[in-house]
């Protein structure tokens, strides 16, 4: 069969065929998968959109569907909620063949949060949420206490209770997204599908939305979400399914799925995968395609604890000759520096930067055209690195957090950093490449 | 207050309004009759069942010959109103007024359903070609002097239903009927039928005037027979639509959403379309093409009661009845009789533009 997720996705608990992607098959909860996809293929208008998709999604897990535009994410969601029938293959949700069920029965098993769309008619928010009870009501049934309780709980959960009487046409996009989630919650289904739930939201609402889904999953709901933002997906999802050209390219743990080679194959883009310095999640940085390794010059990077990994990858991909340090052996950044072939100064694990290391760093700083200081935490152990960086002609400070939040070296730390800050260029991570480029040109011109 | 109570309250109020409009309208005309006299005539004409007697025997299959109950009517109020007033009100004006009420009721009902169905505030009852279809049937009958078993009305009704079905088939592919395709199929078929009607007009010769009058929408010459026909046709489809108002609400969210909320989308669409087409066809068959009632009345009511079809459908239907009785009263009380379609369009178009400019009509 076509897809090739199996190396990553071990499925020891069942006797399924070897090419079955078992996603997030936690041995403690995976008594029975909530969703089983068995060799599902779909073609729309003569074009194959999904091609032999097989996957098990464990009960009570949060699975992210990722992949480039047109990979089939939305189609897969439509298959899962029964609104589209596959040309071949089967889909079971909670053990039921979803396409054999009536629309009503299916929507008691699966609730869908659509991408926020324009609403033409100005129903009050409460009425929209109430429509979530449709699958539970007969044509001539009145409004029951169960219905009322479900709607109230859903609105409270999504904090839309305060909007209850407002017309749904007059609330913001983020609020409307929450109303649609509330409507899905009112359906009281074991499974929740979300199509790009964060696409039109600002960063605050993105996080709030995914936190809410995460909470629901914690209470036993199974959630499948198509998510564009790989980093949000990596942070919140228990498992990811990477779709490309209608097939599963990889499935399983985010760290496994989000490999540089998978991303290159799926998205046709160069990307760097590292750990996020604050959250510790897998972090993907796409490199601009213009960064075609044609930059010249030498850059020294001061970092530690994973704060410099991205800068190292970005600068290396751009073509700079790199040096780094001083770093403790075993540090994430040390690994990253070795991977990009940087000239690395190291000290033993947990050891402070001694005089020998400091002078080694200083000589590399002097040899470099530009020195970059990452958003590193500074203690007495590595303060020497900053002192060495002061020898640089051209200095760039990457700041994601204020220095005071990452200074453990007291007044001495502040004094050294202030001195660097006066001479250096303070940049955000996204500006790093362009600023280093300018400074390297200046340095070359001298 | 829950929706059912609100709907009942509104319905009661609008029924009272309709009664008032009917009484006032029945008093207006060449001979002016005071409302009190009209009310007395109407009460007089009201048949009230006073008893049941077993008389006659009807042959029924299986059970054989059984005496069936028949109802005895009596007019309870023996009032002394002038005989002329009685004749004018009951025989001349009332059939036309009741027919206007029924046609207005039907067109507004179909308008609500079509606007909800197409999620498009510009939709009206004839959007899928029902009116054009009826017109072709009627115009052909008049212009070619055909004699058909069910006459002009039958021909118009049948051709309307056939047209709706053809448009539906043209708009359907692989068991799905996207509303945009349906809309365009309706436009294309209407254009084509427009050409057919023009051709028939050229062939109509002597009967041209009659044909044009029919096309403009009219209620003059209404008879109790026509009233009975509509009274027989309308209740069932209206009840079906009333039972699907919640589905219509959910369909407003879009078809994908409606499916995710447990609506059998295609089946519900078929049912709504068929039912609304029958309602429209019945109205158009007796009254010709009366525009703007089905477009404007649902809009007015949406402003008042909101978009919820559980309220919107019954209130629009009743308001549509009052609206058409009123406009027809204007149409027949001027110096010369004008077709009511002219009046509804003349009043409806400016009102619609007003709504448009004040942004109350939202584009989808």
């Amino acid at each position: 069969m076509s897809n090739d997720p199996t190396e990553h996705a071990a499925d020891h608990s069942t006797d399924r065929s070897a090419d079955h992607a078992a996603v997030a098959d936690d041995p403690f909860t995976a008594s029975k998968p909530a969703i089983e996809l068995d060799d599902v293929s779909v073609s729309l208008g003569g074009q194959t959109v999904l091609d032999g998709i097989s996957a098990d999604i464990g009960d009570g897990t949060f699975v992210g569907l990722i992949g480039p535009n047109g990979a089939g994410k939305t189609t897969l969601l439509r298959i899962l909620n029964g609104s589209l029938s596959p040309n071949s293959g089967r889909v079971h949700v909670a053990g039921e063949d979803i396409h054999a069920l009536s629309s009503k029965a299916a929507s008691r098993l699966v609730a869908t949060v659509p991408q926020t769309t324009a609403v033409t008619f100005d129903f009050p928010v409460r009425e929209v949420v109430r429509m979530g009870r449709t699958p539970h009501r007969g044509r001539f049934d009145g409004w029951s206490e169960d219905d009322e309780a479900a709607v109230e709980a859903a609105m409270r959960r999504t904090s839309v209770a305060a909007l209850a009487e407002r017309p749904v046409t007059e609330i913001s996009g983020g609020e409307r997204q929450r109303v649609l989630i509330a409507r899905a919650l009112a359906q009281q289904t074991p499974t929740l599908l979300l199509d790009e739930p964060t696409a039109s939201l600002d960063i605050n609402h993105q996080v709030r939305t995914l936190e809410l889904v995460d909470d629901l999953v914690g209470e036993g709901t199974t959630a499948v979400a198509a998510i564009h933002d790989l980093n949000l997906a990596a942070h919140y999802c228990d498992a990811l399914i990477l779709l490309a050209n209608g097939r599963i390219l990889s499935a399983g743990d985010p760290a496994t799925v989000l490999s540089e080679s998978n991303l290159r194959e799926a998205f046709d883009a160069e990307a760097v995968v590292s750990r996020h310095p604050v959250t510790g999640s897998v972090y993907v940085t796409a490199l601009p395609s213009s960064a075609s390794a044609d930059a010249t010059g030498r850059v020294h990077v001061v970092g530690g604890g994973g704060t410099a990994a991205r800068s190292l990858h970005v600068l290396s991909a751009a073509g700079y000759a790199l040096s780094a340090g001083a770093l403790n052996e075993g540090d994430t950044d040390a690994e990253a520096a070795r991977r990009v072939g940087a000239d690395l100064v190291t000290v033993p694990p947990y050891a402070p930067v001694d005089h020998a290391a400091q002078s080694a760093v200083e000589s590399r700083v002097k040899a470099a055209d530009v020195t970059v200081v990452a958003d590193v935490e500074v203690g007495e152990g590595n303060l020497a690195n900053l002192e060495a960086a002061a020898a640089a002609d051209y200095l760039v400070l990457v700041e994601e957090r204020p220095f005071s939040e990452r200074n453990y070296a007291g007044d001495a730390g502040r004094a050294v950093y202030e001195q660097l800050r006066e001479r250096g260029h303070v940049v955000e991570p996204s500006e790093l490449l362009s600023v280093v480029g300018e400074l390297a040109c200046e340095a070359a011109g001298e | 207050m829950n929706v059912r109570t609100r709907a009942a309250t509104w319905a009661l109020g609008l029924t009272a309004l309709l009664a008032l409009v009917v009484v006032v309208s029945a008093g207006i005309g060449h001979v002016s009759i005071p409302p009190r006299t009209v009310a007395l005539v109407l009460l007089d004409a009201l048949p009230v069942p006073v008893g049941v007697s077993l008389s006659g025997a009807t042959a029924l299959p299986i059970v054989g010959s059984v005496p069936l109950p028949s109802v005895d009517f009596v007019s309870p109020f023996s009032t002394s109103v002038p005989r002329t007033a009685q004749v004018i009100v009951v025989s001349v004006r009332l059939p036309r007024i009741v027919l206007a009420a029924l046609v207005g009721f039907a067109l507004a009902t179909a308008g609500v359903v079509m606007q909800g169905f197409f999620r498009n505030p510009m939709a009206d009852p004839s959007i899928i070609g029902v009116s054009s279809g009826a017109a072709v049937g009627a115009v052909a009958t008049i212009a070619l002097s055909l004699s058909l078993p069910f006459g002009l009305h039958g021909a118009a009704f049948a051709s309307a239903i056939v047209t709706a079905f053809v448009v539906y088939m043209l708009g359907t592919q692989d068991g799905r009927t996207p509303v945009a395709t349906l809309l365009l199929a309706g436009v294309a078929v209407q254009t084509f039928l427009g050409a057919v009607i023009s051709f028939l007009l050229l062939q109509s010769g002597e009967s041209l005037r009659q044909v044009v009058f029919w096309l403009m929408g009219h209620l003059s010459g209404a008879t109790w027979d026509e009233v009975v026909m509509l009274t027989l046709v309308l209740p069932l489809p209206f009840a079906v639509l009333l039972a699907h108002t919640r589905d219509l609400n959910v369909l407003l969210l879009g078809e994908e959403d409606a499916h995710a909320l447990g609506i059998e989308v295609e089946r519900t669409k078929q049912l709504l379309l068929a039912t609304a087409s029958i309602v429209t066809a019945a109205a158009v068959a007796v009254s010709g093409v009366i525009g703007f009632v089905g477009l404007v009345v649902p809009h007015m009511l949406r402003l008042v009661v909101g978009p919820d079809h559980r309220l919107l459908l019954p209130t629009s239907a009743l308001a549509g009845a009052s609206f058409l009785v009123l406009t027809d009263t204007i149409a027949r009380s001027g110096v010369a009789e004008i077709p009511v379609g002219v009046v509804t369009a003349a009043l409806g178009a400016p009102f619609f533009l007003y709504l448009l400019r004040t942004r109350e009509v939202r584009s989808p």
Side-chain angles (χ1 to χ4, degrees):
Chain A
M1 211 171 318
S2 47
N3 54 347
D4 167 38
T6 46
E7 281 89 352
H8 317 302
D11 184 357
H12 308 296
S13 59
T14 67
D15 57 355
R16 277 171 207 296
S17 62
D19 56 353
H20 220 87
V23 178
D25 220 5
D26 183 329
F28 298 104
T29 56
S31 50
K32 198 173 83 176
I35 301 174
E36 297 163 86
L37 287 152
D38 186 17
D39 197 16
V40 170
S41 294
V42 180
S43 51
L44 294 173
Q47 199 125 43
T48 305
V49 182
L50 293 178
D51 184 6
I53 299 284
S54 294
D56 285 356
I57 291 172
D59 210 9
T61 53
F62 185 0
V63 173
L65 289 180
I66 57 171
N69 292 332
K73 300 184 297 264
T74 300
T75 306
L76 186 54
L77 289 179
R78 292 179 66 203
I79 290 287
L80 289 178
N81 76 9
S83 63
L84 193 67
S85 295
N87 298 68
S88 67
R90 272 178 204 296
V91 180
H92 285 87
V93 177
E96 305 263 10
D97 182 347
I98 196 84
H99 297 100
L101 296 176
S102 71
S103 170
K104 202 163 194 159
S107 46
R108 284 194 290 256
L109 289 177
V110 183
T112 308
V113 179
Q115 281 197 47
T116 319
T117 41
V119 189
T120 321
F121 292 88
D122 51 352
F123 284 105
V125 164
R126 183 192 301 279
E127 205 52 57
V128 174
V129 179
R130 282 181 165 205
M131 289 184 197
R133 297 302 294 167
T134 309
H136 296 275
R137 300 175 69 193
R139 183 163 305 287
F140 300 104
D141 285 355
W143 184 252
S144 73
E145 278 176 27
D146 286 352
D147 294 329
E148 188 62 29
V151 166
E152 288 301 323
M155 291 205 297
R156 220 176 315 116
R157 200 62 207 268
T158 49
S159 345
V160 296
L163 307 170
E165 311 307 329
R166 298 262 302 277
V168 73
T169 41
E170 287 171 20
I171 59 178
S172 73
E175 289 167 337
R176 202 171 301 146
Q177 179 75 55
R178 298 213 306 276
V179 171
L180 293 178
I181 295 177
R183 192 185 79 191
L185 294 188
Q187 280 179 255
Q188 292 184 318
T189 58
T191 311
L192 189 62
L193 308 180
L194 304 101
D195 192 2
E196 301 286 359
T198 56
S200 59
L201 303 182
D202 62 45
I203 188 158
N204 171 31
H205 285 102
Q206 288 180 353
V207 169
R208 281 172 64 180
T209 300
L210 291 175
E211 293 280 347
L212 173 64
V213 177
D214 202 37
D215 287 352
L216 293 166
V217 169
E219 290 156 28
T221 304
T222 305
V224 180
I227 299 180
H228 230 83
D229 187 317
L230 299 178
N231 294 318
L232 284 175
H235 186 64
Y236 284 100
C237 297
D238 301 314
L240 298 178
I241 294 178
L242 173 58
L243 288 175
N245 297 322
R247 295 177 184 184
I248 296 182
L249 189 66
S250 173
D253 178 57
T256 317
V257 174
L258 293 176
S259 71
E260 283 163 22
S261 64
N262 279 342
L263 295 176
R264 192 176 307 120
E265 190 173 344
F267 292 91
D268 191 25
E270 291 298 325
V272 173
V273 179
S274 56
R275 287 275 167 185
H276 191 276
V278 180
T279 63
S281 299
V282 177
Y283 198 89
V284 177
T285 309
L287 298 178
S289 49
S290 61
S292 51
D294 56 0
T296 52
R298 198 168 181 81
V299 179
H300 182 82
V301 179
V302 174
T307 57
R310 260 193 295 157
S311 302
L312 285 167
H313 280 290
V314 168
L315 292 168
S316 158
Y320 292 103
L322 294 174
S323 57
L327 293 162
N328 292 103
E329 274 304 342
D331 189 292
T332 321
D333 282 346
E335 290 168 32
R338 287 216 172 83
R339 239 183 301 155
V340 300
D343 173 13
L344 179 61
V345 179
T346 59
V347 291
Y350 307 110
V353 177
D354 53 21
H355 280 296
Q358 183 175 350
S359 53
V361 171
E362 214 168 285
S363 69
R364 281 166 180 80
V365 166
K366 281 179 179 152
D369 299 309
V370 181
T371 298
V372 173
V373 178
D375 188 58
V376 65
E377 298 187 345
V378 176
E380 277 160 17
N382 64 351
L383 190 57
N385 279 342
L386 295 195
E387 287 166 359
D393 295 329
Y394 293 95
L395 189 59
V396 177
L397 306 176
V398 180
E399 283 193 7
E400 293 175 66
R401 302 166 285 177
F403 184 69
S404 56
E405 281 181 21
R406 49 192 168 92
N407 178 21
Y408 301 96
D411 289 342
R414 196 177 323 115
V416 175
Y417 194 78
E418 278 306 315
Q419 185 199 341
L420 294 182
R421 219 166 184 276
E422 271 170 34
R423 294 192 37 230
H425 299 258
V426 178
V427 300
E428 305 211 352
S430 58
E431 305 163 330
L432 176 67
L433 205 53
S434 59
V435 171
V436 168
E438 282 169 29
L439 296 178
C441 277
E442 270 184 51
E446 276 176 7
Chain B
M1 203 171 9
N2 74 39
V3 178
R4 284 180 191 187
T5 325
R6 280 177 66 199
T9 313
W10 273 107
L12 212 65
L14 286 166
T15 309
L17 175 71
L18 178 60
L20 184 72
V21 169
V22 167
V23 168
V24 171
S25 172
I28 296 174
H30 290 304
V31 180
S32 170
I33 301 169
R36 188 174 165 279
T37 314
V38 175
L40 288 175
V41 170
L42 290 178
L43 284 176
D44 244 3
L46 218 59
V48 174
V50 287
V52 179
S53 62
L54 289 175
S55 62
T58 313
L60 287 177
I62 308 169
V63 279
S65 182
V66 201
L68 283 183
S70 72
V71 185
D72 301 330
F73 293 101
V74 118
S75 292
F77 313 99
S78 46
T79 50
S80 52
V81 285
R83 181 84 192 128
T84 45
Q86 268 186 25
V87 172
I88 290 173
V89 170
V90 177
S91 307
V92 181
R93 292 185 190 160
L94 211 49
R96 179 167 180 166
I97 290 168
V98 177
L99 192 69
L102 288 170
V103 169
F105 187 95
L107 291 177
T109 300
V112 167
V113 175
M114 289 302 187
Q115 284 172 11
F117 182 96
F118 283 98
R119 294 187 292 284
N120 187 331
M122 281 307 293
D124 80 346
S126 44
I127 193 159
I128 59 162
V130 177
S131 297
S132 306
V136 168
V139 171
T141 311
I142 302 170
L144 311 177
S145 311
L146 303 174
S147 77
L148 297 161
F150 295 99
L152 182 62
H153 300 325
F157 185 80
S159 58
I161 295 296
V162 168
T163 307
F165 188 71
V166 168
V167 170
Y168 173 78
M169 294 309 285
L170 289 174
T172 303
Q173 207 170 13
D174 301 334
R176 289 190 177 244
T177 317
V179 290
T181 317
L182 194 63
L183 198 99
L184 292 175
V187 170
V189 169
Q190 280 190 64
T191 311
F192 174 75
L193 294 180
V196 174
I197 292 167
S198 298
F199 178 77
L200 287 171
L201 281 174
L202 286 174
Q203 308 300 312
S204 58
E206 293 292 295
S207 51
L208 179 65
R209 195 184 150 77
Q210 200 192 343
V211 171
V212 171
F213 195 70
W214 193 95
L215 282 177
M216 283 194 281
H218 58 90
L219 290 158
S220 63
T223 63
W224 282 113
D225 284 351
E226 290 170 325
V227 170
V228 169
M229 280 196 306
L230 273 192
T231 319
L232 289 177
V233 175
L234 289 183
L236 182 65
F238 185 72
V240 169
L241 293 175
L242 216 46
H244 283 80
T245 44
R246 243 172 37 205
D247 304 48
L248 260 173
N249 283 349
V250 179
L251 273 176
L252 282 188
L253 302 175
E255 289 178 20
E256 285 280 316
D257 284 27
H259 183 275
L261 291 170
I263 305 288
E264 299 286 353
V265 173
E266 292 304 326
R267 212 173 64 203
T268 308
K269 277 162 65 185
Q270 280 170 5
L271 182 85
L272 291 173
L273 210 56
T275 317
S277 298
I278 290 171
V279 168
T280 312
V284 177
V286 298
S287 69
V289 186
I290 300 178
F292 276 98
V293 180
L295 181 67
V296 171
V297 171
H299 271 300
M300 289 195 287
L301 269 294
R302 203 173 276 120
L303 290 184
V304 181
V305 302
D308 190 335
H309 285 94
R310 290 171 294 179
L311 283 169
L312 188 59
L313 187 74
T315 51
S316 292
L318 289 166
S322 293
F323 178 81
L324 200 57
V325 171
L326 267 177
T327 43
D328 186 50
T329 308
I330 296 171
R332 69 183 165 81
S333 61
V335 194
E337 161 101 32
I338 42 175
V340 66
V342 174
V343 180
T344 55
L347 287 178
F351 180 75
F352 192 76
L353 286 174
Y354 164 76
L355 291 182
L356 199 69
R357 298 300 297 183
T358 52
R359 291 173 172 277
E360 295 297 351
V361 181
R362 291 194 179 82
S363 58

